[in-house]
């Protein structure tokens, strides 16, 4: 029996990951939510889903706020919910890092699984890391986590 899995990218970072994931896994039910995408994409992600994977970069206003609300709704609907998030680099500042920390705390109480990729840790893994490639490397890490999840539950 195949598990119906939806993957919802929230905010700029989440949508960037979903665009890449859709290219690599075209059969995956991928959806976007950001200011430029309609809110009904959130509702479409819930349709027939047994598992919902939420993807976002924490620290900004869209990802940090919306992911918590979407996770609550999924939990209320009885959908297994997995969050895959990134936390900001130190250079992104204490406000973004504070928002991320609050969102992580909230998600820990709501989701079934929480996977955190700390962007700051990428510096050790990628010695050539510079601002121009930092977020691309972060996307690669998140896609790897999502692909592992998809393999383990499908």
């Amino acid at each position: 029996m195949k598990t119906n899995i939806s993957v919802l990218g929230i905010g700029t970072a989440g949508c960037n990951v979903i665009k890449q994931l859709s290219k690599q896994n075209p059969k995956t039910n991928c959806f976007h939510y950001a200011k430029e995408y309609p809110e009904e994409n959130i509702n479409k992600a819930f349709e027939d889903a047994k598992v919902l994977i939420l993807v976002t970069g924490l620290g900004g206003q869209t990802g940090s706020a919306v992911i918590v609300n979407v996770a609550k709704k999924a939990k209320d609907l009885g959908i297994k919910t997995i969050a895959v998030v990134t936390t900001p680099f130190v250079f992104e500042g204490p406000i973004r890092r504070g928002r991320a920390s609050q969102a992580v705390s909230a998600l820990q109480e709501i989701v079934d699984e929480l996977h955190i990729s700390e962007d700051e840790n990428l510096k050790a893994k990628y010695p050539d890391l510079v601002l121009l490639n930092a977020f691309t490397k972060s996307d690669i890490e998140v896609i790897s986590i999502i692909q592992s999840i998809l393999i383990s539950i499908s």
Side-chain angles (χ1 to χ4, degrees):
M1 184 172 92
K2 186 176 179 185
T3 303
N4 194 2
I5 304 165
S6 290
V7 185
L8 176 63
I10 299 170
T12 304
C15 291
N16 287 340
V17 167
I18 293 303
K19 287 175 189 172
Q20 292 302 313
L21 184 67
S22 297
K23 291 176 188 173
Q24 295 175 16
N25 298 307
K27 293 183 180 182
T28 303
N29 295 327
C30 292
F31 303 92
H32 303 85
Y33 175 76
K35 292 177 184 171
E36 64 270 19
Y37 293 100
E39 192 167 330
E40 62 255 15
N41 278 348
I42 292 175
N43 294 326
K44 286 180 185 176
F46 290 128
E47 290 177 11
D48 300 320
K50 301 292 183 213
V51 178
L52 177 63
I53 301 172
L54 302 174
V55 183
T56 196
L58 297 177
Q61 294 179 350
T62 302
S64 298
V66 173
I67 193 170
V68 173
N69 293 329
V70 173
K72 285 178 187 174
K73 183 175 180 180
K75 183 177 183 176
D76 291 345
L77 293 171
I79 300 169
K80 179 177 180 172
T81 307
I82 301 169
V84 181
V85 301
T86 62
T87 58
F89 289 99
V90 171
F91 72 77
E92 293 182 76
I95 293 173
R96 291 181 72 87
R97 291 181 62 79
R99 272 193 217 124
S101 178
Q102 289 175 344
V104 166
S105 294
L107 288 169
Q108 288 172 329
E109 302 296 320
I110 301 167
V111 299
D112 297 291
E113 293 178 30
L114 177 59
H115 300 267
I116 303 169
S117 178
E118 296 186 29
D119 284 348
E120 192 65 25
N121 293 344
L122 294 174
K123 292 177 181 177
K125 186 171 183 177
Y126 300 101
D128 64 334
L129 194 72
V130 294
L131 185 56
L132 290 174
N133 68 4
F135 296 106
T136 301
K137 299 289 188 189
S138 180
D139 291 351
I140 291 167
E141 293 294 313
V142 171
I143 290 168
S144 176
I145 293 168
I146 295 168
Q147 288 176 327
S148 295
I149 293 167
L150 291 171
I151 290 167
S152 71
I153 62 177
S154 58

